[in-house]
Amino acid sequence: MYFYYYPSNLDEPVYNLDITNRFINYEDEYEELEDQLYDCFTELWEVFKNQKQEKWTSLTFILENTGEFNIEYNYEDISEQDSYEQRIIWKYKHLGIETKGERPQAIIQKHITESGKS
């Protein structure tokens, strides 16, 4: 599980693993909250399974500072992608961020070619 946070004073999102380094001095408390968030998503996945609904392979949860939120369930087969590839594609699709470097660019180009989207 990973997420990005948009601080009110920055235009760029902050990766969840960088939040404690940049903003919070209470790393143990933050990790406990992160674990609770993970547990919530695991429970949601179990509800889908128990209700015999199609099991999603990933989920994008967007929470605005107004309290409004949107959930997008992804059912694509991502078994051929490692977690790094998944995150590069997710950042490109949802944040519009193209990670620099040869491998990330190749991942994005492959995704564009396979999905037929830019």
Side-chain angles (χ1 to χ4, degrees):
M1 179 187 80
Y2 57 87
F3 60 89
Y4 288 82
Y5 162 65
Y6 275 95
S8 59
N9 60 340
L10 296 175
D11 292 332
E12 293 291 319
V14 178
Y15 182 48
N16 67 294
L17 296 179
D18 297 329
I19 290 174
T20 55
N21 294 339
R22 294 181 64 178
F23 303 106
I24 301 172
N25 294 326
Y26 309 102
E27 190 167 341
D28 292 339
E29 187 176 323
Y30 173 81
E31 287 179 7
E32 184 177 323
L33 291 171
E34 194 174 52
D35 289 344
Q36 289 175 14
L37 181 61
Y38 178 82
D39 291 344
C40 287
F41 287 121
T42 300
E43 184 178 336
L44 180 61
W45 192 88
E46 288 294 328
V47 168
F48 270 68
K49 178 180 156 189
N50 293 338
Q51 295 296 319
K52 311 255 187 284
Q53 294 186 31
E54 186 177 2
K55 297 176 200 157
W56 39 274
T57 54
S58 66
L59 173 147
T60 298
F61 181 82
I62 299 172
L63 175 63
E64 302 291 340
N65 62 358
T66 62
E68 293 182 32
F69 67 91
N70 184 43
I71 300 175
E72 177 185 309
Y73 300 96
N74 181 6
Y75 299 92
E76 295 173 19
D77 179 10
I78 57 174
S79 61
E80 297 296 317
Q81 300 169 344
D82 63 32
S83 61
Y84 178 76
E85 291 170 323
Q86 292 171 19
R87 189 164 55 93
I88 294 298
I89 293 167
W90 187 91
K91 282 173 53 178
Y92 174 75
K93 285 173 58 175
H94 295 280
L95 301 177
I97 297 173
E98 289 191 44
T99 304
K100 292 179 173 57
E102 190 174 314
R103 182 172 181 222
Q105 289 297 304
I107 291 167
I108 291 168
Q109 287 307 312
K110 181 180 177 190
H111 167 72
I112 291 169
T113 301
E114 290 178 355
S115 67
K117 298 177 183 174
S118 58

